[in-house]
Amino acid sequence: ASIEGRVWDSFEETPLMSTYLVAFVVSDLKNLTTKDGKYSVWMREEVISQGKYALSIAPNIIQAMEQYTGIQYELPKLDQVAVPDMFFWAMENWGLVTL
């Protein structure tokens, strides 16, 4: 909903987690999402081809990590955000990977 230029959004309750793992991104990025809605990649329009690659391998990486650790990924979805000018570091927030 939008009231006087403000946007109100609501979110599902998250599983118990450390507060430093919470992340929000406010941007004007484009996104690609898998057909099942479980994986999304957000990026600038000029790097969409790289986003397609990231989106194509994300489900396989999650599945490999589940098999390796024996722990199922608990969240209903995973978003990846290509943040401009982040250079050589990333942050692995729970449910949101910034790179």
Side-chain angles (χ1 to χ4, degrees), residues 22-38:
V22 175
F24 293 92
V25 174
V26 178
S27 71
D28 189 20
L29 299 174
K30 305 295 179 195
N31 78 304
L32 299 171
T33 303
T34 56
K35 290 180 183 178
D36 63 7
K38 290 184 178 185

Side-chain angles (χ1 to χ4, degrees), residues 5 20-21 29 33-34 36 52 58 61 80-81 83 91 99:
Y20 75 90
L21 293 177
L29 299 174
T33 303
T34 56
D36 63 7
K52 289 178 183 177
I61 291 172
Q80 300 175 75
V81 179
V83 179
M91 181 61 191
L99 45 115

Side-chain angles (χ1 to χ4, degrees), residues 10 13 20 29-30 39 45 52 56 65 97:
S10 60
E13 187 173 327
Y20 75 90
L29 299 174
K30 305 295 179 195
Y39 303 93
E45 193 165 358
K52 289 178 183 177
S56 73
M65 291 304 296
V97 177

Side-chain angles (χ1 to χ4, degrees), residues 63 73 76 87:
Q63 183 180 28
Y73 184 72
F87 299 108

